[in-house]
Amino acid sequence: MDSTLPIRVTVLDTWDVIPLELPATTSVAEVKRAALFRSLVRGAPADYVLKYQGAELFREGQSLADAGVLPHSALIVLRRRRTPVR
C-alpha cells in the first residue's frame, strides 16, 4: 500500500486550491502550514483551522492517517474567527 496521500486543500482567504502529495504521517498542523504558505497567506497558522468533511480537525498533532483522511480528499483552511464585513 502506498503511504503517500494526494489531497486538495482549499484556502478560503484566496480561494486557491492547493494540490498536495504528502506522506500519510504528515501532521494536520503541517498540512495547514503548507497550504497557507503555498497560497501566499501570511497570517499566523494558529488563526486558521483545517476542516475535513465539514468537521474541524482539532488535534493538530495527529497524522493525516490518524485523522481518517483518504486519498484524493478535499480539505479546507479557513480563519478561526469570521471577519466582519463593513
Side-chain angles (χ1 to χ4, degrees), residues 18-62:
I18 310 295
L20 297 171
E21 274 205 39
L22 302 167
T25 57
T26 304
S27 73
V28 168
E30 185 57 36
V31 172
K32 182 170 65 171
R33 275 192 295 274
L36 289 169
F37 178 78
R38 290 180 93 197
S39 66
L40 304 177
V41 172
R42 297 297 177 233
D47 293 340
Y48 292 84
V49 296
L50 183 68
K51 288 190 172 187
Y52 175 57
Q53 295 183 341
E56 181 179 345
L57 299 176
F58 288 103
R59 296 185 339 200
E60 292 194 354
Q62 73 180 340

